[in-house]
Amino acid sequence: MKKLDGSNKLRTAIFISGNGSNLKNLIKFSLLKKSPIKIELIICNNLKAKGLRYSEKYKIKKKIFFFKRKITDENIILKYLKKNNIQLICLAGFMKILSKNFIKNFKGKILNIHPSLLPKYKGLNTHERVIENNEKFSGCTVHYVNASLDSGKIILQKRVRVRKNDTPKSLAKKILKQEHLIYPRSLLKLFANL
Ligand code: GRF
């Protein structure tokens, strides 16, 4: 493996909407020598997102777009990403659905993390549905983003046991811990040979 000295790391944008624990985790990972990514931008659709604090803390540029005029906003974001020479996008708790056109512009270069064992439980409220269905296992998945929701090629998954007394909250917490392991691992798996 070639040494990653910062100059050959992938220029990455992280898209968030909320707490940003995955963002924080990816930032910490990106600072390691072995990391194949360098985080250049945080894109967010929510002014109140707690995760925005990591922009100041780690001195990473942030941009907020509300996606009210989706196509217009997406086009502005695309220009902004290109201007910043972004090579990779990691969605991390980003609650908007990107258009086909947007995805086409970054074909094979957008990753997402989803809190279920895809292809099961695509979409929202995964933990509620998992518990309602008395599933014995749930988990998380890192996958490529394609034009259909939560359906792109799977990169890594981690299984988590669902206990009888689990609530959506306790399950979310357990799964989030695993998310923090598999997102960096997925990046290493994909790009370790850069
Ligand atoms: C994570 O569970 C992620 O899988 C889902 O939204 C949650 C975001 O958490 N898409 P955070 O904002 O990274 O803390």
Side-chain angles (χ1 to χ4, degrees), residues 114-117 138-142 156-158 175 178-179 182:
H114 183 76
S116 79
L117 291 173
S138 186
C140 45
T141 306
V142 177
L156 277 184
Q157 288 190 308
K158 179 79 188 174
I175 290 177
Q178 299 306 319
E179 292 183 33
I182 66 164

Side-chain angles (χ1 to χ4, degrees), residues 1 4 10 12 14 21-32 34-37 39 88 90-92 111-113 140-143 155-158 175-193:
M1 188 180 24
L4 295 164
L10 284 173
T12 302
I14 313 284
S21 71
N22 276 292
L23 165 67
K24 182 184 176 199
N25 184 58
L26 287 176
I27 295 173
K28 287 194 163 172
F29 168 70
S30 74
L31 298 174
L32 303 177
K34 67 174 180 183
S35 162
I37 65 162
I39 300 175
L88 179 74
C90 293
L91 308 182
L111 309 184
N112 182 39
I113 186 144
C140 45
T141 306
V142 177
H143 64 96
I155 300 158
L156 277 184
Q157 288 190 308
K158 179 79 188 174
I175 290 177
L176 200 56
K177 253 193 193 166
Q178 299 306 319
E179 292 183 33
H180 296 164
L181 295 178
I182 66 164
Y183 220 157
R185 273 184 204 158
S186 301
L187 292 164
L188 285 172
K189 180 178 171 186
L190 293 178
F191 305 115
N193 295 321

Side-chain angles (χ1 to χ4, degrees), residues 28-194:
K28 287 194 163 172
F29 168 70
S30 74
L31 298 174
L32 303 177
K33 214 166 182 189
K34 67 174 180 183
S35 162
I37 65 162
K38 179 165 191 289
I39 300 175
E40 299 286 347
L41 288 179
I42 298 167
I43 303 284
C44 181
N45 67 311
N46 172 13
L47 211 48
K48 292 189 179 145
K50 287 197 184 143
L52 285 172
R53 73 176 95 150
Y54 301 118
S55 157
E56 283 83 49
K57 184 158 181 210
Y58 293 98
K59 312 236 170 327
I60 299 170
K61 275 198 273 186
K62 65 166 184 251
K63 267 270 191 239
I64 297 169
F65 295 94
F66 295 110
F67 286 78
K68 284 226 165 93
R69 298 160 307 152
K70 186 166 168 164
I71 298 302
T72 318
D73 275 4
E74 279 193 350
N75 285 333
I76 302 171
I77 298 172
L78 279 171
K79 270 199 194 138
Y80 189 67
L81 295 173
K82 300 227 156 126
K83 192 175 130 200
N84 283 278
N85 296 316
I86 294 301
Q87 299 165 291
L88 179 74
I89 295 173
C90 293
L91 308 182
F94 181 63
M95 302 307 284
K96 292 281 176 189
I97 295 174
L98 297 166
S99 73
K100 274 186 192 155
N101 175 58
F102 187 97
I103 294 166
K104 207 173 73 195
N105 269 275
F106 272 88
K107 200 162 178 250
K109 294 185 179 115
I110 310 178
L111 309 184
N112 182 39
I113 186 144
H114 183 76
S116 79
L117 291 173
L118 291 174
K120 290 178 105 177
Y121 301 101
K122 297 174 184 176
L124 296 175
N125 305 319
T126 50
H127 309 307
E128 283 82 352
R129 289 186 282 142
V130 160
I131 288 173
E132 227 166 70
N133 290 343
N134 292 315
E135 295 280 5
K136 294 221 161 19
F137 294 98
S138 186
C140 45
T141 306
V142 177
H143 64 96
Y144 284 104
V145 172
N146 67 11
S148 22
L149 183 69
D150 298 330
S151 299
K153 188 169 178 241
I154 290 172
I155 300 158
L156 277 184
Q157 288 190 308
K158 179 79 188 174
R159 211 163 69 149
V160 162
R161 185 91 167 87
V162 183
R163 301 273 169 210
K164 284 232 156 42
N165 58 353
D166 263 322
T167 61
K169 205 172 160 195
S170 68
L171 186 56
K173 200 170 159 197
K174 269 197 283 191
I175 290 177
L176 200 56
K177 253 193 193 166
Q178 299 306 319
E179 292 183 33
H180 296 164
L181 295 178
I182 66 164
Y183 220 157
R185 273 184 204 158
S186 301
L187 292 164
L188 285 172
K189 180 178 171 186
L190 293 178
F191 305 115
N193 295 321
L194 275 183

